[in-house]
Amino acid sequence: MEKYTDKNLLDTIGLSYGELSLKGKNRGQFERKLRNRINRNLKEFDYKLVEDLSKLYVLIDPKDLEKITEKLKKVFGIVGINQSSRVSQKDEEIKAKVLEFANYAYEKGARTFKISVNRSNKEFPINSMDYAKEVGAFVLINSPFEKVKMKDPDVMIYIDIRKEVYIYTTRIKTYGGLPLGSTGKGLVLLSGGIDSPVASFMMAKRGMRINFVTFNSFPFTSKQALEKIKELTNILTDYTGKSRLYTINILKLQEEINGKTRKEYATILTRRVMMRLSERLANSMQYQALITGESLGQVASQTLGGLTCTNASVEKLPVFRPLIGMDKTEIIDIAKEIGTYEKSIEPHEDSCVIFAPKHPVTNPKLEDILTEEAKIENYEELMDEIFSEKEYFNFG
Ligand code: ATP
Ligand code: MG
């Protein structure tokens, strides 16, 4: 349908929000958050954000249409976007504009059309069915169109009557979700792989303000590996807004694990170090949940046994694993869609891989893990040291 639309007519972008309207008394707060996000994402443009009968509209210069649409698509809480033309309630103005839409569509090859009217403003004197018929007849008389088609017309022209009137032909579906910051703050354990960036996106979509922590084993892992993670963070700020990436070097504890415990447990023991440090960081920064990119059964450390052992190192915070029930192909599809995939598949060394055992235990028992962990007598001191040496970088 888009090819039948004259983009030069589109001076207003209507925003629909679905779930938001269900939230009853929270609605005011949600709307404020949504407006803030919109204003932030559009700060480089000339535009005006206005409300019309509890729907938000962005008045734009038509030349910015595509760029602004791309930015708005990334604002969580918006379920749909209508690129529209705004006119007053005057009958002749509405009809003239609809005719412009129709003539252009005909020129581009459309041969059937339908008019759909939504009358949110009941002060408008004609009901929506009658007005649709009236405008349809007007188009038939004044344009080359010879046919209205009720089912699957080539072009559908929507007329949304509020205080002003919005005319459009296409509805663009967007991510939905909830406005950033409306459901709390979470800390993502971000590696350079495919999964954790997708997990970040999914929790941001549910309205969580996101910050990141990444673990390295410098100098065994390179500066480039960290650069890659910074670049991933940067891509993610399109969705997460302002965020911070903490980096923590866990080499000291990895060396202890490597020297003192059974090889096949190294990955799980390292994962537990990461979880503990993340919880400590979250507590000190008031992040209310940990988020990982784990998916059940994907690798040896993500069996039910592996996840149980990893999870048991976290004392109080909930750990969200939004990818737990997803297949790798589904995760990859999202990674491509949100723009992190290409960066994620660039080669890098991961902290876990440095001392990774050839034959990791596939279904570890917690008691065995605890026995191994107890062999590191200075665990707590090393944790303190490692934690105090953390660094951070701000993004967005
Ligand atoms: P990813 O694609 O996110 O790297 P993965 O499939 O490689 O995931 P693992 O390496 O087993 O899986 O890691 C599982 C999860 O543990 C990751 O999704 C991430 O949340 C966390 N994690 C792993 N390594 C690191 C790291 N070096 N720094 C921060 N978090 C990490
Ligand atoms: Mg990984």
Side-chain angles (χ1 to χ4, degrees), residues 14 16-17 25 31 40 52 64 77-79 102-103 175 209 215 222 234 247 280-281 285 297 300 305 372:
S16 316
Y17 29 95
K25 64 181 193 293
E31 263 185 22
R40 252 183 193 289
D52 188 347
D64 296 328
I78 297 174
V79 298
N103 281 331
Y175 294 125
R209 187 155 265 303
F215 299 95
S222 64
N234 207 25
T247 67
R280 202 184 269 210
L281 178 60
M285 297 305 295
E372 291 306 304

Side-chain angles (χ1 to χ4, degrees), residues 299-312:
V299 288
S301 55
Q302 295 175 30
T303 57
L304 203 46
L307 289 169
T308 304
C309 294
T310 306
N311 203 55

Side-chain angles (χ1 to χ4, degrees), residues 188-199 213-217 229 246 248 250 267 271 274-275 278 291-295 298-302 307 310 323 328 331 344 348-353:
V188 172
L189 284 75
L190 187 70
S191 68
I194 296 169
D195 303 330
S196 41
V198 173
V213 60
T214 191
F215 299 95
N216 63 69
S217 323
I229 291 171
Y246 290 89
I248 303 184
I250 53 172
T267 308
R271 223 13 87 60
M274 292 182 181
M275 286 301 219
S278 300
I291 297 156
T292 77
E294 289 159 315
S295 162
Q298 199 188 78
V299 288
S301 55
Q302 295 175 30
L307 289 169
T310 306
L323 313 186
K328 195 74 186 184
I331 299 169
S344 286
H348 73 290
E349 333 82 26
D350 190 71
S351 232
C352 296
V353 180

Side-chain angles (χ1 to χ4, degrees), residues 88-98 131 165 167:
S88 80
Q89 276 188 40
K90 287 205 184 84
D91 176 55
E92 62 273 19
E93 243 187 82
I94 298 172
K95 284 178 181 154
K97 189 62 79 179
V98 170
Y131 197 58
V165 176
I167 300 163

